[in-house]
Amino acid sequence: MKKIALHWKILIGMSLGLVFGFLMLQINGGSEFIKNWINPFGIIFINLLKLIAIPLILASLIKGISDLKDISKFRNIGVRTILIFIVTTIFAITIGLVSVNIFNPGKGISTETIDRLTSTYANDSGVQAKIAEASAQKNIAPLQFIVDMVPDNIFAAMSNNKLMLQVIFFTVFLGISLLLIGEEKAKPLKNIFDSLNDAILKMVDLIMQSAPIAVFALLANVVVSSGDPDLLYALLKYAGVVVFGLFLMIVFYCLVLYFSTKINPFWFLKKMIPAHVLAFSTSSSAATLPVTMKIVEEELGVDQEVSSFVLPVGATVNMDGTSLYQGVAAVFIAQALGFPLEFTDQIMIVLTALLASIGSAAVPGAGMVMLVIVLESIGFPADKLAIGLALIFAVDRPLDMCRTIINVTGDAMVSIVVAKSVGKVDFSKIKRV
Ligand code: ASP
């Protein structure tokens, strides 16, 4: 019998997870059963992926940099990557703002629905935690983000997945120093990292074997954790605008890839399926990173010299889906609560959402924390923040799942474009139009 491809097994796992979740919702104690006995398998899987993210960044980036023949190439890669990240993020926020201004999802929402959403979620610990987290971030000095990139203890940095940029900083520094001490002296350490890199990629393969079961568990849990269906329904128009914008981003990526590299966009999307389903089920670009790296290097023909830098940096700073969502959500909340927005406010949203998406951690729900900062930048009253977040809280998880797909796809697209610009794509692996 022909073996079923892994991505099909994962898709089947997802669908069965959804169906199982809905069935268990009908049974007394079904939700508890999923939370206690099924969800842990999903959490173990996410932990395994996160477990290998830092060692993979270390091994792969050292290998990537020390394979470079000269350092100036690295500067080119760095500058282009950051510039393209900024341009795509601004584009994403603009798409979000244009869509929300055309469809006006917040204008039709009744006061009764607003009251129900407020009474259900405004005092929810999740909403309160996001506001508290945002206010902690807000009091940080302007240059603190640069200070935060430079670790004072690499072991402390490696022990916290939120400090990925610090690990990247150290690794780039070490990689460049290895280049500078010359091939002979660098060889022993380089060999260790090369072999670590191979071993970790094997670990990705092994972990992915359990993906069909893990996504079953994760999706079943999402179903039983979601809110009142009536409230979800009331937010359908808002969610529809976000999803529509995210879909336009996929079209945008495909067009950029087509025009810059002639890659067949459908082939690209098909290759990305395992990363997409993981992003969707884990809602975390960081957890998806090992799989994205493997696909981009092994299947999309991008040289490790480029992917090992662009993808980990992208997972932390380039979040097109998140910034698009922040644009839509900010305007939706303002519309629903009758807070007038000038054109200049919308420009302010573009700027703060750009900075916010850079500052968002690559973990579930991070985008909502930064949304608080976006809302505050346009003068949204602090006492109404909890009500504003309550309006969108019910659909945040499904939208997080969708926007994480875009975050991951954007990183992959940028790594191909940057690699092409420095002649580092193996076109023999790629299907072109
Ligand atoms: N979950 C997203 C990510 O990891 C971030 C967010 O939008 O909340 O990419």
Side-chain angles (χ1 to χ4, degrees):
M1 204 178 81
K2 208 172 150 223
K3 262 183 84 184
I4 309 175
L6 183 62
H7 64 262
W8 286 117
K9 287 191 197 160
I10 301 178
L11 285 171
I12 294 170
M14 280 171 74
S15 319
L16 291 178
L18 285 175
V19 174
F20 186 65
F22 280 115
L23 287 177
M24 292 309 265
L25 269 185
Q26 318 306 321
I27 297 173
N28 231 340
S31 304
E32 287 311 304
F33 175 79
I34 290 193
K35 286 194 166 65
N36 292 333
W37 297 99
I38 305 287
N39 190 37
F41 295 100
I43 296 178
I44 292 174
F45 176 72
I46 294 183
N47 285 352
L48 283 173
L49 286 170
K50 286 189 180 160
L51 171 73
I52 55 170
I54 296 277
L56 179 60
I57 293 176
L58 203 69
S60 152
L61 196 50
I62 294 264
K63 182 165 162 32
I65 295 181
S66 53
D67 279 348
L68 284 173
K69 295 289 165 276
D70 73 284
I71 306 180
S72 65
K73 215 175 225 167
F74 184 68
R75 202 188 48 224
N76 281 347
I77 295 173
V79 171
R80 282 171 207 195
T81 304
I82 303 297
L83 281 181
I84 304 179
F85 279 167
I86 293 177
V87 172
T88 54
T89 305
I90 293 181
F91 186 78
I93 307 167
T94 312
I95 289 200
L97 286 179
V98 171
S99 313
V100 73
N101 281 297
I102 291 177
F103 296 108
N104 293 319
K107 288 201 175 142
I109 191 156
S110 67
T111 20
E112 193 207 331
T113 311
I114 295 179
D115 290 345
R116 273 191 70 197
L117 286 164
T118 308
S119 63
T120 318
Y121 296 111
N123 291 318
D124 187 288
S125 55
V127 166
Q128 294 300 332
K130 305 233 181 267
I131 295 176
E133 216 178 302
S135 79
Q137 302 226 9
K138 205 180 52 190
N139 298 326
I140 295 175
L143 289 185
Q144 188 61 33
F145 78 101
I146 303 183
V147 176
D148 285 345
M149 260 183 232
V150 186
D152 63 356
N153 180 334
I154 187 56
F155 295 102
M158 285 199 293
S159 67
N160 183 348
N161 279 342
K162 287 198 177 140
L163 300 179
M164 233 180 237
L165 281 183
Q166 295 196 351
V167 177
I168 295 172
F169 176 87
F170 170 78
T171 314
V172 169
F173 199 8
L174 180 61
I176 291 178
S177 305
L178 272 180
L179 267 182
L180 293 175
I181 59 175
E183 219 174 314
E184 204 189 319
K185 282 190 181 157
K187 204 155 194 288
L189 192 56
K190 192 171 167 320
N191 284 346
I192 293 179
F193 282 114
D194 283 0
S195 127
L196 180 64
N197 184 56
D198 290 342
I200 303 240
L201 286 177
K202 187 44 112 200
M203 287 169 97
V204 178
D205 274 344
L206 296 175
I207 296 170
M208 283 303 280
Q209 295 305 316
S210 63
I213 295 171
V215 295
F216 170 87
L218 289 168
L219 286 205
N221 190 56
V222 166
V223 173
V224 297
S225 314
S226 53
D228 177 351
D230 280 354
L231 291 181
L232 292 181
Y233 188 73
L235 294 173
L236 218 54
K237 191 167 174 199
Y238 154 69
V241 174
V242 176
V243 172
F244 172 73
L246 295 177
F247 172 75
L248 290 184
M249 280 312 286
I250 291 276
V251 175
F252 167 69
Y253 295 148
C254 288
L255 288 174
V256 173
L257 279 180
Y258 172 75
F259 285 111
S260 63
T261 59
K262 288 277 174 294
I263 288 183
N264 180 331
F266 297 107
W267 178 85
F268 164 74
L269 292 177
K270 188 167 163 230
K271 289 286 172 198
M272 286 293 290
I273 289 177
H276 286 163
V277 284
L278 280 197
F280 186 75
S281 13
T282 63
S283 281
S284 167
S285 317
T288 314
L289 182 64
V291 177
T292 319
M293 284 178 90
K294 198 167 157 57
I295 295 176
V296 169
E297 282 162 23
E298 292 181 358
E299 316 230 7
L300 301 179
V302 173
D303 198 295
Q304 200 171 23
E305 288 168 22
V306 176
S307 59
S308 64
F309 175 75
V310 179
L311 293 173
V313 174
T316 17
V317 307
N318 182 47
M319 299 196 177
D320 296 343
T322 303
S323 21
L324 184 147
Y325 143 86
Q326 281 166 344
V328 177
V331 176
F332 168 76
I333 292 172
Q335 285 176 347
L337 298 181
F339 180 79
L341 282 183
E342 305 295 329
F343 183 70
T344 45
D345 291 327
Q346 309 233 7
I347 299 290
M348 196 63 196
I349 294 179
V350 174
L351 292 178
T352 34
L354 171 66
L355 296 177
S357 82
I358 295 173
S360 300
V363 295
M368 208 178 189
V369 175
M370 298 316 254
L371 174 64
V372 176
I373 295 177
V374 174
L375 283 171
E376 285 179 335
S377 75
I378 50 171
F380 192 80
D383 58 330
K384 285 207 174 149
L385 277 175
I387 302 178
L389 293 196
L391 293 189
I392 55 166
F393 198 67
V395 281
D396 195 61
R397 178 68 193 208
L399 291 183
D400 193 359
M401 296 160 82
C402 299
R403 62 191 190 237
T404 309
I405 296 184
I406 306 304
N407 293 345
V408 166
T409 314
D411 298 340
M413 183 281 279
V414 175
S415 59
I416 299 176
V417 172
V418 172
K420 158 90 187 334
S421 76
V422 289
K424 289 286 173 189
V425 179
D426 177 358
F427 279 106
S428 68
K429 285 187 176 166
I430 285 180
K431 188 164 175 193
R432 299 173 94 183
V433 183

mmCIF file of all heavy atoms in Angstrom, residues 327-344:
data_model
loop_
_atom_site.group_PDB
_atom_site.id
_atom_site.type_symbol
_atom_site.label_atom_id
_atom_site.label_comp_id
_atom_site.label_asym_id
_atom_site.label_seq_id
_atom_site.Cartn_x
_atom_site.Cartn_y
_atom_site.Cartn_z
ATOM 1 N N GLY A 327 -3.731 46.333 13.190
ATOM 2 C CA GLY A 327 -4.381 47.436 12.478
ATOM 3 C C GLY A 327 -5.895 47.256 12.465
ATOM 4 O O GLY A 327 -6.663 48.164 12.821
ATOM 5 N N VAL A 328 -6.341 46.047 12.086
ATOM 6 C CA VAL A 328 -7.791 45.802 11.997
ATOM 7 C C VAL A 328 -8.426 45.910 13.386
ATOM 8 O O VAL A 328 -9.450 46.580 13.571
ATOM 9 C CB VAL A 328 -8.080 44.389 11.402
ATOM 10 C CG1 VAL A 328 -9.577 44.115 11.375
ATOM 11 C CG2 VAL A 328 -7.493 44.255 10.010
ATOM 12 N N ALA A 329 -7.783 45.263 14.370
ATOM 13 C CA ALA A 329 -8.392 45.218 15.702
ATOM 14 C C ALA A 329 -8.495 46.620 16.304
ATOM 15 O O ALA A 329 -9.526 46.970 16.902
ATOM 16 C CB ALA A 329 -7.573 44.310 16.614
ATOM 17 N N ALA A 330 -7.445 47.436 16.133
ATOM 18 C CA ALA A 330 -7.473 48.775 16.735
ATOM 19 C C ALA A 330 -8.637 49.585 16.159
ATOM 20 O O ALA A 330 -9.408 50.209 16.907
ATOM 21 C CB ALA A 330 -6.142 49.485 16.486
ATOM 22 N N VAL A 331 -8.798 49.541 14.828
ATOM 23 C CA VAL A 331 -9.874 50.337 14.219
ATOM 24 C C VAL A 331 -11.243 49.744 14.577
ATOM 25 O O VAL A 331 -12.205 50.471 14.853
ATOM 26 C CB VAL A 331 -9.683 50.421 12.684
ATOM 27 C CG1 VAL A 331 -10.845 51.151 12.032
ATOM 28 C CG2 VAL A 331 -8.373 51.121 12.364
ATOM 29 N N PHE A 332 -11.321 48.406 14.611
ATOM 30 C CA PHE A 332 -12.590 47.758 14.959
ATOM 31 C C PHE A 332 -13.048 48.193 16.357
ATOM 32 O O PHE A 332 -14.197 48.584 16.562
ATOM 33 C CB PHE A 332 -12.419 46.229 14.910
ATOM 34 C CG PHE A 332 -13.552 45.471 15.521
ATOM 35 C CD1 PHE A 332 -14.756 45.330 14.846
ATOM 36 C CD2 PHE A 332 -13.435 44.889 16.785
ATOM 37 C CE1 PHE A 332 -15.817 44.630 15.416
ATOM 38 C CE2 PHE A 332 -14.484 44.200 17.365
ATOM 39 C CZ PHE A 332 -15.680 44.069 16.675
ATOM 40 N N ILE A 333 -12.130 48.165 17.301
ATOM 41 C CA ILE A 333 -12.476 48.537 18.684
ATOM 42 C C ILE A 333 -12.905 50.009 18.731
ATOM 43 O O ILE A 333 -13.914 50.359 19.353
ATOM 44 C CB ILE A 333 -11.268 48.286 19.623
ATOM 45 C CG1 ILE A 333 -11.014 46.789 19.738
ATOM 46 C CG2 ILE A 333 -11.507 48.900 20.997
ATOM 47 C CD1 ILE A 333 -9.748 46.414 20.485
ATOM 48 N N ALA A 334 -12.146 50.862 18.024
ATOM 49 C CA ALA A 334 -12.494 52.287 18.013
ATOM 50 C C ALA A 334 -13.889 52.485 17.409
ATOM 51 O O ALA A 334 -14.724 53.224 17.959
ATOM 52 C CB ALA A 334 -11.437 53.062 17.228
ATOM 53 N N GLN A 335 -14.151 51.789 16.305
ATOM 54 C CA GLN A 335 -15.475 51.933 15.660
ATOM 55 C C GLN A 335 -16.586 51.464 16.595
ATOM 56 O O GLN A 335 -17.596 52.143 16.784
ATOM 57 C CB GLN A 335 -15.535 51.081 14.383
ATOM 58 C CG GLN A 335 -14.771 51.665 13.214
ATOM 59 C CD GLN A 335 -14.784 50.732 12.000
ATOM 60 O OE1 GLN A 335 -15.154 49.564 12.094
ATOM 61 N NE2 GLN A 335 -14.381 51.262 10.853
ATOM 62 N N ALA A 336 -16.378 50.289 17.205
ATOM 63 C CA ALA A 336 -17.447 49.704 18.016
ATOM 64 C C ALA A 336 -17.744 50.568 19.236
ATOM 65 O O ALA A 336 -18.895 50.693 19.648
ATOM 66 C CB ALA A 336 -17.048 48.292 18.448
ATOM 67 N N LEU A 337 -16.711 51.186 19.799
ATOM 68 C CA LEU A 337 -16.935 51.974 21.018
ATOM 69 C C LEU A 337 -17.127 53.460 20.718
ATOM 70 O O LEU A 337 -17.119 54.298 21.625
ATOM 71 C CB LEU A 337 -15.770 51.781 21.994
ATOM 72 C CG LEU A 337 -15.591 50.336 22.490
ATOM 73 C CD1 LEU A 337 -14.440 50.242 23.460
ATOM 74 C CD2 LEU A 337 -16.867 49.810 23.160
ATOM 75 N N GLY A 338 -17.261 53.790 19.424
ATOM 76 C CA GLY A 338 -17.540 55.170 19.039
ATOM 77 C C GLY A 338 -16.381 56.111 19.319
ATOM 78 O O GLY A 338 -16.580 57.291 19.626
ATOM 79 N N PHE A 339 -15.161 55.602 19.231
ATOM 80 C CA PHE A 339 -13.989 56.459 19.437
ATOM 81 C C PHE A 339 -13.548 56.989 18.071
ATOM 82 O O PHE A 339 -13.134 56.209 17.201
ATOM 83 C CB PHE A 339 -12.881 55.622 20.097
ATOM 84 C CG PHE A 339 -11.614 56.374 20.366
ATOM 85 C CD1 PHE A 339 -11.497 57.225 21.459
ATOM 86 C CD2 PHE A 339 -10.519 56.245 19.520
ATOM 87 C CE1 PHE A 339 -10.320 57.913 21.706
ATOM 88 C CE2 PHE A 339 -9.340 56.929 19.758
ATOM 89 C CZ PHE A 339 -9.244 57.761 20.853
ATOM 90 N N PRO A 340 -13.647 58.326 17.838
ATOM 91 C CA PRO A 340 -13.370 58.820 16.483
ATOM 92 C C PRO A 340 -11.889 58.708 16.114
ATOM 93 O O PRO A 340 -11.019 58.965 16.938
ATOM 94 C CB PRO A 340 -13.784 60.296 16.556
ATOM 95 C CG PRO A 340 -13.784 60.635 18.001
ATOM 96 C CD PRO A 340 -13.968 59.390 18.785
ATOM 97 N N LEU A 341 -11.622 58.300 14.867
ATOM 98 C CA LEU A 341 -10.238 58.158 14.419
ATOM 99 C C LEU A 341 -9.961 59.099 13.253
ATOM 100 O O LEU A 341 -10.667 59.069 12.245
ATOM 101 C CB LEU A 341 -9.981 56.729 13.932
ATOM 102 C CG LEU A 341 -9.764 55.649 14.971
ATOM 103 C CD1 LEU A 341 -9.459 54.327 14.286
ATOM 104 C CD2 LEU A 341 -8.641 56.016 15.922
ATOM 105 N N GLU A 342 -8.951 59.936 13.399
ATOM 106 C CA GLU A 342 -8.534 60.813 12.297
ATOM 107 C C GLU A 342 -7.572 60.037 11.401
ATOM 108 O O GLU A 342 -7.059 58.991 11.797
ATOM 109 C CB GLU A 342 -7.773 62.032 12.849
ATOM 110 C CG GLU A 342 -8.504 62.848 13.892
ATOM 111 C CD GLU A 342 -9.734 63.523 13.322
ATOM 112 O OE1 GLU A 342 -9.706 63.860 12.121
ATOM 113 O OE2 GLU A 342 -10.731 63.672 14.048
ATOM 114 N N PHE A 343 -7.254 60.621 10.244
ATOM 115 C CA PHE A 343 -6.287 60.001 9.349
ATOM 116 C C PHE A 343 -4.923 59.873 10.051
ATOM 117 O O PHE A 343 -4.241 58.853 9.949
ATOM 118 C CB PHE A 343 -6.169 60.814 8.053
ATOM 119 C CG PHE A 343 -5.240 60.202 7.066
ATOM 120 C CD1 PHE A 343 -5.572 59.018 6.404
ATOM 121 C CD2 PHE A 343 -4.001 60.780 6.796
ATOM 122 C CE1 PHE A 343 -4.696 58.425 5.503
ATOM 123 C CE2 PHE A 343 -3.126 60.199 5.887
ATOM 124 C CZ PHE A 343 -3.477 59.027 5.240
ATOM 125 N N THR A 344 -4.573 60.937 10.810
ATOM 126 C CA THR A 344 -3.265 60.900 11.501
ATOM 127 C C THR A 344 -3.219 59.755 12.525
ATOM 128 O O THR A 344 -2.158 59.180 12.774
ATOM 129 C CB THR A 344 -3.003 62.235 12.238
ATOM 130 O OG1 THR A 344 -4.196 62.592 12.921
ATOM 131 C CG2 THR A 344 -2.593 63.329 11.287
#
